[in-house]
């Protein structure tokens, strides 16, 4: 399994990426979690990233690609992964493509977790209250959605062109979304057997 989960903030892709990774023995790679760990550790990278994150803006591509390169090259065994929250720009997607080529690996799926704007507002404002996450304050939620629409949504067409894109409806229960993802994983296994 070498997957990307794509979707707006609050789509539940983080929850699903964790479930997939543990079920399919793959690494869960979340750039958001990696950045929050850097902040918690008080590293220079964390201090730099925090300014962008607090505003709801994206951390510069170069910083993210360097972090991902380290993480991907450190993978062992089957080098299976589920990417969560990366790539978020076309530049990051191009960088990933080059890195995987160098490693002689390829992506097998990009899954868009679809959730309406209305539902996302509800979920993110709820999360801000529950977790007190500084990047989820009300106006930051709006900014994160705008950034998603402008910078990340173009990746849907990018991966569709490469024939990698699939969709799941993210407005179902966690278990139903996971069921849909498992079905996609099964499809892919069947196709692989057919091709070989
Ligand atoms: P997330 O937990 O994935 O929603 O990420 C939280 C915040 O971290 C985002 O709003 C961005 O500021 C930053 N971030 C996470 N992943 C990336 C990425 N791939 N590119 C740029 N910024 C990122």
């Amino acid at each position: 399994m070498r997957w990307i989960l794509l979707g707006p903030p609050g789509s539940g892709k983080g929850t699903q990426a964790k479930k997939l990774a543990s079920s399919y023995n793959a690494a869960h790679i979340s750039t958001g979690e990696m950045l929050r760990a850097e902040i918690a550790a008080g590293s220079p990278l964390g201090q730099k990233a925090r300014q962008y994150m607090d505003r709801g803006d994206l951390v510069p591509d170069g910083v993210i690609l360097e972090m991902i390169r380290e993480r991907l090259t450190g993978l062992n065994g089957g080098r299976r992964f589920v990417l969560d929250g990366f790539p978020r720009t076309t530049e990051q997607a191009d960088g990933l493509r080059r890195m995987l080529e160098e490693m002689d690996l390829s992506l097998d799926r990009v899954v868009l977790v679809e959730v309406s704007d209305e539902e996302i507002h509800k979920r993110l404002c709820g999360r801000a209250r529950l977790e007190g996450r500084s990047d989820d304050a009300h106006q930051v939620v709006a900014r994160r959605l705008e950034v998603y629409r402008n910078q990340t949504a173009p990746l849907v067409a990018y991966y569709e062109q490469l024939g990698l894109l699939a969709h799941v409806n993210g407005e179902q229960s966690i278990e139903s979304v996971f069921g849909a993802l498992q079905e996609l994983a099964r499809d892919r296994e069947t196709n692989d057997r057919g091709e070989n």
Side-chain angles (χ1 to χ4, degrees):
M1 168 174 283
R2 290 188 198 93
W3 282 25
I4 295 173
L5 288 196
L6 204 59
S11 58
K13 64 185 187 315
T15 303
Q16 298 296 338
K18 276 191 200 118
K19 286 171 74 70
L20 278 172
S22 69
S23 297
Y24 293 88
N25 192 24
H28 171 223
I29 303 181
S30 157
T31 42
E33 278 184 6
M34 292 164 81
L35 291 168
R36 282 188 288 278
E38 294 285 343
I39 291 174
S43 71
L45 193 158
Q47 283 168 15
K48 180 175 181 192
R50 182 173 199 151
Q51 301 160 23
Y52 297 93
M53 293 167 77
D54 281 348
R55 290 196 303 263
D57 286 332
L58 295 182
V59 173
D61 291 327
V63 173
I64 298 288
L65 283 168
E66 204 37 59
M67 224 170 58
I68 282 285
R69 175 181 293 282
E70 229 170 84
R71 185 76 175 84
L72 286 179
T73 51
L75 289 177
N76 46 22
R79 299 194 288 183
R80 288 182 287 268
F81 54 76
V82 180
L83 293 172
D84 162 19
F86 171 88
R88 260 175 156 98
T89 64
T90 310
E91 171 120 15
Q92 290 180 17
D94 286 337
L96 174 66
R97 186 140 60 151
R98 283 191 298 270
M99 266 181 235
L100 292 176
E101 263 168 30
E102 281 168 29
M103 296 172 73
D104 212 14
L105 294 176
S106 56
L107 288 172
D108 39 43
R109 271 212 191 281
V110 179
V111 184
L112 175 63
V113 181
E114 292 180 301
V115 177
S116 69
D117 281 4
E118 197 188 352
E119 177 66 19
I120 283 162
H121 268 111
K122 256 193 268 177
R123 291 183 185 183
L124 290 181
C125 294
R127 183 155 90 187
R129 277 196 302 276
L130 285 173
E131 297 178 6
R133 265 178 62 169
S134 62
D135 65 347
D136 276 339
H138 209 78
Q139 66 279 24
V140 179
V141 166
R143 176 66 189 146
R144 291 174 77 209
L145 279 177
E146 187 188 356
V147 166
Y148 175 78
R149 239 176 260 122
N150 293 339
Q151 296 183 257
T152 308
L155 295 182
V156 173
Y158 180 105
Y159 286 116
E160 190 148 47
Q161 255 170 14
L162 294 173
L164 291 172
L165 196 76
H167 304 246
V168 296
N169 172 6
E171 293 199 27
Q172 316 170 79
S173 68
I174 289 177
E175 282 315 316
S176 302
V177 176
F178 189 58
L181 291 169
Q182 284 176 306
E183 205 149 298
L184 288 173
R186 264 195 300 277
D187 279 3
R188 178 56 74 175
E189 280 168 20
T190 313
N191 287 344
D192 286 349
R193 274 198 297 275
E195 282 162 15
N196 291 334

